[in-house]
């Protein structure tokens, strides 16, 4: 079997780390956190999901892959060697903290639901403390993974409010609607494109910005709806560049249903961007008065997002009173999702567990 250079490098780093992990060591006092991976993206680098949260936290608690006193794992960024790491942590009596985001459910995972949930359950049930990213995350986790054995709390994601801040002036052209993050489910991008088509009937200058990784080809749909020249694919972006993207836009259109706690929504709100979204999941907890949630059928067996025309109507309502919504977005982000208290709660928790 041929092994490419990148994979060989991962194997080599893992072998070296485990050689250090299994070597006899002297226990040192203090909090040293291992996030389950040899490398956490550096500040400002491209990151997604669990790695973005750990990227922020690692500025205060650098990654310690071998000599660690806390093992901190994220459900969206579990390591390949989860089982041996859990056994090692147990043998060393190192406390395990799990940051629990979403779960697999039949609506999107189908027959793979249990296979995908198995490692999540293994980590959750081994945890000394679970940080659920939203009340919705806790409810979904209880249903598909089971209730935690250890302590738990709800701690929403947070962002740096100095880095993610509003533009001095609203974008002059548009309106510009942003579909942020990665587009890893086909319906999310298709729904955004169809929403744009409806929006153009009332706002002929409207444009759609699509960011991140795209897993489906929508060229035929763009041609069918006649909106090819109104959609811009801007690709993936690093955290250092994210505010610039938000400041180009008037509204964030977040089309994912049952999203547990999307950081992209918090980042957008911090930049004064109102949010239009399906009224389900943890997004409802985040947005509040900073946007409009559109009702849709809710089921664990099937993802049924709102109709495109309903989302377009919500976008128009937000645009009609954008100044009020934008101010509410920034105020809500600063009041509820500032980074310093989030890091401080981690510091307090780590100190309790290690002390």
């Amino acid at each position: 079997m041929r092994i490419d250079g990148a994979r060989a490098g991962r194997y080599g780093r893992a072998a070296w780390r485990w050689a250090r992990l299994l070597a006899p060591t002297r226990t040192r006092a203090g909090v040293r956190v291992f996030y389950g991976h040899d490398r956490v993206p550096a500040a400002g680098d491209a990151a997604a999901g669990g790695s973005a949260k750990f990227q922020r936290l690692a500025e205060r608690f650098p990654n310690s892959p071998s000599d660690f006193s806390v093992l901190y794992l994220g459900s969206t960024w579990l390591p390949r060697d989860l089982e041996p790491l859990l056994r090692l942590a147990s043998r060393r009596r190192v406390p395990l903290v799990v940051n629990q985001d979403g779960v697999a459910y039949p609506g999107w995972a189908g027959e793979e639901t249990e296979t995908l949930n198995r490692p999540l359950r293994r980590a959750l049930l081994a945890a000394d403390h679970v940080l659920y990213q939203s009340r919705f995350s806790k409810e979904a986790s209880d249903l598909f993974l089971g209730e935690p054995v250890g302590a738990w709390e709800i701690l929403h994601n947070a962002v740096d409010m100095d880095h993610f801040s509003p533009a001095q002036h609203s974008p002059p052209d548009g309106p510009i609607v942003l579909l942020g993050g990665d587009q890893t489910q086909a319906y999310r991008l298709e729904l955004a494109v169809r929403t744009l088509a409806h929006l153009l009937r009332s706002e002929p200058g409207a444009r759609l910005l699509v960011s991140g990784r795209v897993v489906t080809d929508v060229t035929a749909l763009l041609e069918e709806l006649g909106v090819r020249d109104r959609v811009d694919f801007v690709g993936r972006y690093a955290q250092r560049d994210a505010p610039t993207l938000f400041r180009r836009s008037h509204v964030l259109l977040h089309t994912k249903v049952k999203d547990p706690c999307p950081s992209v929504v918090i980042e957008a709100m911090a930049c004064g961007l109102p949010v239009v979204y399906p009224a389900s999941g943890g997004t409802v907890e985040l947005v509040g008065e900073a946007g409009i949630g559109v009702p849709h059928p809710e089921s664990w067996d099937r993802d049924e997002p709102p109709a495109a025309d309903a989302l377009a109507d919500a976008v128009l309502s937000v645009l009609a009173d954008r100044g009020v919504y934008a101010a509410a977005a920034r105020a809500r982000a600063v009041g509820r999702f500032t980074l310093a208290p989030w890091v401080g709660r981690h510091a307090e928790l780590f100190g309790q567990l290690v002390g």
Side-chain angles (χ1 to χ4, degrees):
M1 179 180 66
R2 183 178 179 180
I3 299 178
D4 60 41
R7 184 178 300 179
R10 289 198 301 268
Y11 288 163
R13 288 191 299 271
W16 172 240
R17 173 161 55 83
W18 274 100
R20 287 178 293 162
L21 281 170
L22 297 176
T25 59
R26 296 179 61 184
T27 302
R28 294 190 296 127
V31 174
R32 295 176 306 284
V33 182
F34 178 39
Y35 302 97
H37 296 267
D38 291 303
R39 181 181 177 274
V40 174
D45 287 352
S51 63
K53 287 180 278 291
F54 293 152
Q55 180 187 54
R56 295 166 183 144
L57 194 60
E59 294 187 45
R60 171 78 176 272
F61 299 99
N63 193 31
S64 299
S66 56
D67 182 21
F68 57 92
S69 58
V70 175
L71 179 59
Y72 187 19
L73 303 178
S75 62
T76 56
W77 201 42
L78 290 176
R80 290 183 174 89
D81 50 359
L82 173 65
E83 291 289 342
L85 271 179
L86 294 180
R87 289 194 295 270
L88 179 67
S90 177
R91 187 166 71 245
R92 289 186 177 179
R93 297 185 180 179
V94 169
L96 168 64
V97 178
V98 169
N99 190 294
Q100 178 60 40
D101 187 16
V103 298
Y105 60 89
W108 68 266
E111 295 180 355
E112 296 296 312
T113 296
E114 177 55 26
T115 300
L116 295 172
N117 280 335
R118 194 172 297 119
L120 304 182
R121 184 181 301 110
R122 180 70 181 87
L124 181 90
L125 297 181
D128 297 279
H129 198 99
V130 180
L131 298 172
Y132 293 97
Q133 292 184 21
S134 64
R135 290 188 296 275
F136 174 79
S137 292
K138 175 68 167 62
E139 294 166 1
S141 179
D142 285 354
L143 181 62
F144 287 94
L145 307 182
E147 296 188 11
V149 176
W152 63 272
E153 65 187 275
I154 293 169
L155 187 67
H156 292 103
N157 292 335
V159 304
D160 184 343
M161 296 297 159
D162 292 328
H163 181 60
F164 290 94
S165 60
Q168 291 185 346
H169 304 286
S170 180
D173 301 321
I176 298 174
V177 177
L178 172 64
L179 181 68
D182 285 323
Q183 314 313 322
T184 55
Q185 292 170 292
Y187 79 84
R188 294 164 61 181
L189 176 54
E190 178 181 330
L191 180 57
V193 171
R194 294 188 182 279
T195 299
L196 172 67
H198 284 281
L199 184 61
L200 284 166
R201 298 172 185 173
S202 300
E203 292 284 352
R207 301 191 67 86
L208 175 67
L209 297 184
V210 178
S211 74
R213 181 165 59 94
V214 176
V215 298
T216 53
D217 185 357
V218 293
T219 302
L221 180 63
L222 297 176
E223 294 289 352
E224 174 192 337
L225 298 177
V227 298
R228 186 169 187 175
D229 63 340
R230 311 305 300 172
V231 179
D232 299 317
F233 292 88
V234 299
R236 303 196 74 181
Y237 55 88
Q239 286 289 288
R240 67 173 69 90
D241 302 319
T244 301
L245 179 62
F246 292 122
R247 292 169 189 152
R248 290 176 57 188
S249 312
H250 294 87
V251 177
L252 178 74
L253 177 62
H254 189 68
T255 55
K256 182 177 180 179
V257 303
K258 285 184 164 57
D259 205 342
C261 187
S263 289
V264 67
V265 166
I266 301 174
E267 293 167 354
M269 289 166 54
C271 291
L273 217 59
V275 185
V276 171
Y277 62 97
S280 61
T283 313
V284 179
E285 301 170 38
L286 303 182
V287 178
E289 68 279 7
I292 296 178
V294 179
H296 65 98
E298 288 195 60
S299 168
W300 292 111
D301 296 322
R302 182 179 178 185
D303 281 343
E304 296 184 70
D309 59 345
L311 286 171
D313 287 344
V315 171
L316 289 171
S317 295
V318 166
L319 291 172
D321 210 3
R322 185 179 181 276
V324 173
Y325 279 110
R330 175 64 180 179
R332 188 172 178 88
V334 171
R336 294 171 180 255
F337 309 115
T338 299
L339 187 61
W342 183 84
V343 174
R345 175 55 191 145
H346 280 85
E348 181 181 37
L349 175 61
F350 293 160
Q352 293 170 345
L353 292 172
V354 172

